[in-house]
Amino acid sequence: MKITLLGATGSIGCSTADVMLQHPDKFSAHALVGHRNHGKMLQLAEQLRPEWVVMTDESAALELQGRLPAGVRLEAGMAAATELAAASETDMVMAAMVGSAGLPATLAAVKAGKRVGLANKECLVTAGRIFMQAARASGAEVVPVDSEHAAVHQCMHGHDHGSVTQVILTASGGPFRDRDPASLRNVTPEEAIAHPNWDMGAKISVDSATMMNKALELIEAHWLFDLPAEKLSAIIHPESIIHAMVEYHDGSVLAQLAMPDMRMPIAYAMQAEPRLSTGIAWLDMAKTGALHFQAVDSTRFPAMRLVKDVMQGEDSLSIAFNAANEVANAAFRERRIGFTDIVMTVEKVLSQVENVPVGQLSDVWLHDEHARDLANEVIS
């Protein structure tokens, strides 16, 4: 299977490369797409020997000129990434770009009928209706890579979807799950980025600290599994051993368990049957001893309160929710606003945008841009 890897230099991309290197008889790289990290891309290109390397940042592409292994061709820009994602030589696209920037290339892969491992939740949060309609029209197979959605996918496989009464995504709770909400105003970006279970990169780690990440995952689950908001919920589970649970009409609850390592859901997306070895640690329940759960406190995590209204509304609210969060998250990491201002900014933006369905990609960008402008106004 030839894979085009969008977001190759990020944490998901590197974990995907690790699985590919464990199974060289099954997978090869058609294209690796990165943004600015040319050093990491050079390392990956030497390991995977892709046919193409694309850096969406042109200055990063210049840094790689003349340095790639023999036979590896170099391109720059998002247009090249989009073209390669839909290319006939590509069998599967691993969509691991961070943020809404990954939408054009991932949507191109879906329209081309590819198997898509979806690690970019913004594709569904901002354009879920468009994305899933395109998948149905082309026959593309969209397999979730987020550990929670991969867990749901496994728990629902072979079962009547109409019998589902509740899908419960688990959340680690991030670094502030037990902290006094009154103290969160003064936390630093370094504290927010220090995730207790994973190294996920700065943006996603801050999203985990606010639980905005989980809020976005609920919207994603709505589109992936065609479930209404009232059948979607979340619970804090600090050990991150259970990744999701699915409850059925008969009262049974199916859960998927594994050690917290993204190589498991990545391998599942790449080949569900037969299962691939991944090199992750075995789950020793006797050693684990106990699993703990607690309800989500909306005072500490107001994003989880906001998302309920967003899911009950139209597409434009999800677009604004994501766009405003991206702006506010970046502003916090740049120390321009406080930690609690992130969700406060998103809430103020939501109060000012239209609540309308969105059926065209061009309209997605218009709503996205408007929400970003509003967020910047709130911050300034």
Side-chain angles (χ1 to χ4, degrees):
M1 178 184 287
K2 286 190 175 183
I3 293 178
T4 287
L5 181 47
L6 305 175
T9 58
S11 61
I12 298 294
C14 291
S15 292
T16 302
D18 183 79
V19 174
M20 292 173 68
L21 289 167
Q22 291 184 57
H23 300 279
D25 57 322
K26 296 181 181 294
F27 307 107
S28 62
H30 176 57
L32 303 179
V33 178
H35 183 44
R36 290 199 184 99
N37 193 343
H38 51 84
K40 187 63 181 180
M41 180 60 83
L42 180 59
Q43 179 186 346
L44 289 171
E46 290 170 344
Q47 292 175 327
L48 293 172
R49 302 290 172 131
E51 296 170 47
W52 292 91
V53 160
V54 178
M55 301 303 290
T56 56
D57 181 88
E58 295 196 7
S59 62
L62 289 173
E63 292 286 343
L64 289 174
Q65 282 189 343
R67 301 175 64 196
L68 293 171
V72 179
R73 290 172 284 184
L74 176 66
E75 283 284 355
M78 187 60 74
T82 302
E83 183 177 347
L84 285 165
S88 59
E89 297 90 344
T90 295
D91 299 310
M92 176 182 178
V93 171
M94 184 63 73
M97 284 182 173
V98 175
S100 54
L103 178 56
T106 309
L107 186 58
V110 167
K111 288 182 175 179
K114 305 296 181 186
R115 180 181 179 89
V116 175
L118 190 62
N120 179 305
K121 62 178 58 65
E122 289 82 5
C123 288
L124 292 177
V125 172
T126 61
R129 186 186 309 278
I130 298 167
F131 196 88
M132 296 310 292
Q133 284 178 348
R136 287 190 290 270
S138 68
E141 187 176 7
V142 179
V143 186
V145 170
D146 266 348
S147 58
E148 298 82 358
H149 300 95
V152 175
H153 194 277
Q154 292 170 78
C155 290
M156 291 179 69
H157 183 68
H159 296 274
D160 172 34
H161 289 200
S163 298
V164 173
T165 55
Q166 192 73 201
V167 164
I168 306 158
L169 306 185
T170 60
S172 70
F176 308 136
R177 61 184 170 231
D178 299 315
R179 189 154 169 171
D180 179 0
S183 72
L184 294 178
R185 173 71 191 172
N186 298 319
V187 303
T188 66
E190 290 78 16
E191 288 176 297
I193 290 168
H195 193 282
N197 296 356
W198 297 287
D199 177 10
M200 303 182 294
K203 192 270 180 184
I204 298 175
S205 293
V206 172
D207 279 348
S208 179
T210 60
M211 278 192 73
M212 185 65 75
N213 193 47
K214 200 58 50 181
L216 294 170
E217 287 175 3
L218 288 171
I219 299 172
E220 185 183 8
H222 161 66
W223 290 110
L224 270 173
F225 305 112
D226 193 23
L227 291 169
E230 58 268 21
K231 289 189 176 184
L232 297 167
S233 62
I235 191 169
I236 291 178
H237 169 47
E239 293 85 4
S240 299
I241 296 295
I242 294 178
H243 300 286
M245 296 172 276
V246 179
E247 179 187 78
Y248 290 91
H249 276 308
D250 61 359
S252 63
V253 179
L254 301 185
Q256 189 269 337
L257 291 76
M259 293 296 288
D261 189 314
M262 286 305 299
R263 289 175 295 176
M264 188 283 299
I266 287 167
Y268 178 75
M270 292 166 70
Q271 180 179 295
E273 296 178 1
R275 301 258 179 162
L276 296 168
S277 61
T278 61
I280 76 170
W282 295 107
L283 176 58
D284 185 338
M285 291 301 289
K287 184 177 179 181
T288 300
L291 301 177
H292 301 87
F293 305 91
Q294 60 193 71
V296 176
D297 179 358
S298 60
T299 302
R300 184 181 286 108
F301 301 115
M304 297 299 286
R305 169 180 52 81
L306 277 187
V307 75
K308 293 179 181 179
D309 294 333
V310 170
M311 287 195 295
Q312 296 288 357
E314 297 289 356
D315 306 331
S316 61
L317 296 187
S318 295
I319 296 167
F321 190 70
N322 176 72
N325 176 62
E326 287 191 9
V327 172
N329 182 310
F332 167 69
R333 286 181 281 123
E334 294 162 5
R335 305 179 195 278
R336 294 188 288 120
I337 62 173
F339 179 76
T340 55
D341 294 327
I342 298 173
V343 178
M344 191 183 304
T345 298
V346 175
E347 186 166 18
K348 288 181 178 178
V349 169
L350 286 172
S351 71
Q352 299 178 62
V353 298
E354 292 182 292
N355 181 17
V356 295
V358 179
Q360 300 292 329
L361 196 56
S362 57
D363 291 331
V364 170
W365 299 128
L366 288 174
H367 286 284
D368 181 273
E369 183 180 7
H370 179 54
R372 290 174 193 273
D373 289 342
L374 289 173
N376 282 312
E377 287 178 15
V378 170
I379 290 167
S380 63

